[in-house]
């Protein structure tokens, strides 16, 4: 049996959720926001969701952005993964 094809993203895609997991602390958040700004990706700080880990060592940020292209999402993924405080990008 063949696998069903994954749904395609239609660009621009408003409210595309970018989830980043990293070390708890302001430097992690500031680094993530600097990457977004460096790539010219606007986001609303009031719509960001923060979820601390059970032991409060890590935090997951869910940041809704307007995704403009696959290349933009790829560039964002690469830039975020280069940050030492980032553990995972979803």
């Amino acid at each position: 049996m063949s696998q069903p094809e994954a749904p395609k993203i239609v660009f621009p895609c408003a409210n595309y959720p970018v989830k980043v997991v990293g070390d708890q602390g302001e430097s992690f958040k500031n680094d993530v926001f600097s990457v977004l700004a460096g790539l010219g990706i606007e986001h609303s700080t009031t719509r960001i969701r923060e979820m601390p880990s059970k032991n409060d060592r890590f935090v997951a940020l869910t940041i809704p952005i307007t995704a403009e292209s696959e290349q933009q999402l790829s560039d964002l993924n690469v830039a975020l993964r280069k940050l030492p405080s980032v553990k995972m990008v979803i």
Side-chain angles (χ1 to χ4, degrees):
M1 280 185 108
S2 65
Q3 292 289 334
E5 194 171 312
K8 301 272 187 215
I9 299 172
V10 178
F11 296 102
C13 180
N15 298 313
Y16 183 88
V18 174
K19 189 168 191 173
V20 186
V21 179
D23 296 322
Q24 184 69 269
E26 286 302 312
S27 64
F28 164 66
K29 289 187 257 183
N30 290 337
D31 290 346
V32 169
F33 298 150
S34 291
V35 166
L36 291 170
L39 293 172
I41 300 172
E42 294 183 24
H43 64 282
S44 169
T45 56
T46 60
R47 297 185 58 222
I48 294 172
R49 290 184 313 207
E50 249 181 87
M51 178 67 96
S53 66
K54 186 175 180 179
N55 64 3
D56 213 30
R57 183 173 171 205
F58 303 105
V59 64
L61 299 176
T62 302
I63 308 163
I65 66 167
T66 298
E68 300 292 338
S69 67
E70 285 186 37
Q71 186 62 51
Q72 178 198 43
L73 293 175
S74 177
D75 293 346
L76 177 59
N77 188 355
V78 169
L80 288 171
R81 288 179 184 270
K82 286 182 180 178
L83 296 174
S85 60
V86 169
K87 304 304 177 201
M88 188 182 326
V89 179
I90 301 171

